[in-house]
Amino acid sequence: MDYKGIELFNEGIIIKSVENFELDHIFECGQCFRWNKQTNGNYIGVAYGKVVEVEKKDTDVKIYNINEEEFNDFWCDYFDLKRNYTAIKDEFQKDPLLKRSVNFGHGIRLLQQEPFELTISFIISSNNRIPMIKRAINNLSKKWGKEIEYKGEMYYTFPTAADLEKASIEDIQSCSLGFRSRYVKDSVHRIYTGEVNLEFIKSQDDDICHEELKKLNGIGPKVSDCIMLFSMQKYSAFPVDVWVKRAMQFFYLAPDVSLPKIRAFARDKFENFAGFAQQYLFYYARENNIKIE
Ligand code: 8HG
């Protein structure tokens, strides 16, 4: 457990003495698209149909707009608070190469996000940049999600498969999804009809989960790894995008290694913790704009 307990305050709950929890590291490390930094440093996000605000105060974390029951039933796992990240980092820090990335992103935690939202979001992520991905997801949510007011502002939940099934291909295109629109349309339909069951896929072991997700159009190995890592708790996943490729080349491998070889090397090296290693590497490489000669 990475926290001591919780207390209540009038607007939500306070998680006491939290370890390994930095807002910027968690929300900017590439795993989520619906959390935004506010001018006061807090983050506001929409997840599982709720608007939630998070603030860090010394070693306490305040979560606005949730109650104790919701924390215990749900948000505690969403923030992966039962996991001991110190133990993971201690192991990684034995590797002098990984140590630099771990120290840099020391407050990263992998959020346990919603499988449908992440499937659609990471289909949108292919060949795309994070600000554009965020914009497209926001457009879809505005058009097909549910409106919720928080502190006088309007927020939108991520649409359900039933909500999105109503959207035509033109509607989806108008949300700036480009060539990914037809992949989203097709995946939504197959999930909506039950032909593809994400909960069943989530219940399978890592390799089957990876293969099953790839059966959807628009999902290759990298997108499949992101979905299983960020919403299905499959921690042997090692998504290799351009940043992780550069980081692996920079730290471990020759420059001409192929993506599947990088993935295999990392899964062999980090085993069931590959996904955590990947996140420290992705955040380090992207924030420091590392380049390979
Ligand atoms: O957390 C991520 N890890 C990896 N390996 N790739 C990611 C993450 N988040 C994210 O958006 N991507 C992909 O990287 C999507 C997009 O193709 C690119 C943006 O830098």
Side-chain angles (χ1 to χ4, degrees), residues 1 23 43 49 60 66 73 83 86 88 115 117 144 151 177 180 189 208 230 259:
M1 290 263 280
L23 302 184
Y43 276 80
D60 292 346
I66 66 164
D73 287 350
R83 195 178 312 279
T86 305
I88 296 174
E117 173 176 339
W144 303 99
K151 292 189 174 169
L177 272 71
R180 306 160 200 90
H189 184 67
I208 295 175
F230 302 138
L259 300 189

Side-chain angles (χ1 to χ4, degrees), residues 29-33 110 122 124-131 133 222-223 226 229-230 238-245 278-279 282-283 286:
C29 75
Q31 63 180 323
C32 54
F33 302 112
L110 290 186
F122 276 94
I124 295 172
S125 84
S126 71
N127 277 315
N128 211 345
R129 291 176 32 250
I130 289 177
I133 303 167
K222 137 80 189 320
V223 167
C226 285
L229 178 59
F230 302 138
F238 193 87
V240 186
D241 75 309
V242 61
W243 293 112
V244 170
K245 177 173 185 252
Q278 177 277 154
Q279 216 58 37
F282 180 83
Y283 185 57
R286 188 163 171 267

Side-chain angles (χ1 to χ4, degrees), residues 257-273:
V257 177
S258 69
L259 300 189
K261 283 206 176 121
I262 296 174
R263 180 176 191 269
F265 173 90
R267 292 185 85 221
D268 188 48
K269 183 170 175 61
F270 304 120
E271 297 178 339
N272 283 329
F273 294 92

Side-chain angles (χ1 to χ4, degrees), residues 5 19 142 145 148 152-153 158 178 198-199 213 243 287 293:
E19 289 176 63
K142 237 175 167 159
I148 315 178
E153 298 271 337
F158 191 84
L198 295 175
E199 283 308 314
L213 286 169
W243 293 112
E287 293 291 317
E293 293 306 304

